[in-house]
């Protein structure tokens, strides 16, 4: 099932990239689809009752503060560069923000799988 899901996600992203080759907002739409493809398998996981303290606390703090900091720094850098040069460096800020969220979820998913395997038996 895992292989089918990964293969399906890869093919979906590949063909979506081909469909959106000339689209103006291609990068942002691809970032949204990558995030959605990562979130789909997480719907099958149940949240465990008991959690290991340290790993989940670290990931929670990275998610709660780290993603906010990444979003703020991205926006601040873009505003400063636009004020100085009058041009934007990144055409679509969704690319940076959504890919940072995708990386966070990819770090959180193994912890959830580990907890589910450890505490379900």
């Amino acid at each position: 099932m895992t292989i089918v899901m990964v293969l399906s996600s890869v093919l979906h992203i590949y063909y979506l990239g081909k469909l959106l080759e000339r689209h103006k907002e291609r990068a942002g739409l691809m970032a949204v689809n990558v995030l959605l493809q990562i979130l789909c398998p997480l719907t099958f996981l149940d949240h465990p009752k008991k959690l290991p303290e340290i790993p989940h606390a670290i990931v929670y703090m990275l998610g709660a503060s780290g993603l906010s900091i990444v979003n703020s720094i991205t926006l601040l850098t873009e505003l400063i560069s636009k004020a100085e040069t009058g041009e934007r460096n990144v055409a679509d800020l969704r690319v940076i923000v959504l890919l940072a969220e995708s990386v966070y979820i990819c770090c959180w998913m193994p912890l959830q799988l580990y907890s589910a395997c450890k505490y379900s038996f």
Side-chain angles (χ1 to χ4, degrees), residues 36-113:
L36 290 176
Q37 290 294 324
I38 292 171
L39 285 176
C40 284
L42 290 178
T43 59
F44 298 113
L45 292 177
D46 289 332
H47 195 68
K49 304 290 186 254
K50 295 189 295 184
L51 295 174
E53 292 296 322
I54 300 298
H56 279 76
I58 291 171
V59 171
Y60 175 77
M61 291 306 294
L62 286 175
S65 59
L67 289 177
S68 300
I69 291 170
V70 166
N71 293 345
S72 301
I73 290 173
T74 302
L75 184 60
L76 181 68
T77 305
E78 193 64 34
L79 289 173
I80 289 172
S81 68
K82 186 168 181 173
E84 289 178 358
T85 62
E87 295 179 5
R88 294 182 67 176
N89 291 335
V90 179
D92 197 355
L93 292 177
R94 290 182 294 180
V95 173
I96 296 170
V97 172
L98 292 174
L99 290 180
E101 290 176 11
S102 298
V103 169
Y104 168 73
I105 291 172
C106 284
C107 294
W108 180 71
M109 192 178 350
L111 280 175
Q112 288 297 99
L113 291 171

